[in-house]
Amino acid sequence: MFTIQEYTVETVADPFRILEGERYEFMIDVEVEEDDELFHEEGVRLRVVYAVIDGNGKVVRYEFQTAGTGAYLDIEMEDDELVMVEKFCADSFKDA
């Protein structure tokens, strides 16, 4: 399990209206316990693409990255973590 520390959110531009609804990109710095498989000394960042279609939001893509280099980490979120992140994005996407 991880804890959300800081984040930024931006609207994903779709000038050709290819995507349904609105898309938001979150860059979330997370704190991870040292004994967790996700832990990296340089820190961990979570990149999330959140879609809002007809008022309903959901995470459509995510990836963990090392905070320093942005290297991709091949780790999936657990179900409870995904629920937490979806709630966080639902509460925060309007900040874009």
Side-chain angles (χ1 to χ4, degrees):
M1 190 68 148
F2 55 84
T3 305
I4 294 172
Q5 296 298 104
E6 297 179 16
Y7 74 98
T8 60
V9 60
E10 296 180 6
T11 303
V12 175
D14 183 20
F16 300 107
R17 308 296 285 160
I18 295 170
L19 302 172
E20 183 180 3
E22 300 292 323
R23 298 286 192 277
Y24 302 89
E25 181 182 55
F26 284 82
M27 295 300 286
I28 303 170
D29 291 329
V30 297
E31 183 177 354
V32 181
E33 298 285 328
E34 282 189 46
D35 60 349
D36 192 306
E37 68 176 326
L38 183 58
F39 179 80
H40 280 267
E41 290 215 12
E42 62 186 282
V44 177
R45 181 169 293 134
L46 176 61
R47 178 182 170 268
V48 177
V49 177
Y50 185 75
V52 178
I53 302 168
D54 297 328
N56 298 311
K58 68 178 182 176
V59 171
V60 293
R61 178 175 171 82
Y62 71 85
E63 59 189 33
F64 287 104
Q65 304 171 342
T66 57
T69 62
Y72 172 77
L73 300 171
D74 189 17
I75 297 175
E76 292 188 24
M77 276 193 267
E78 295 176 10
D79 291 341
D80 59 334
E81 293 170 332
L82 183 56
V83 168
M84 175 187 68
V85 169
E86 281 195 326
K87 181 176 179 349
F88 175 80
C89 291
D91 294 342
S92 305
F93 77 91
K94 295 173 187 149
D95 294 341

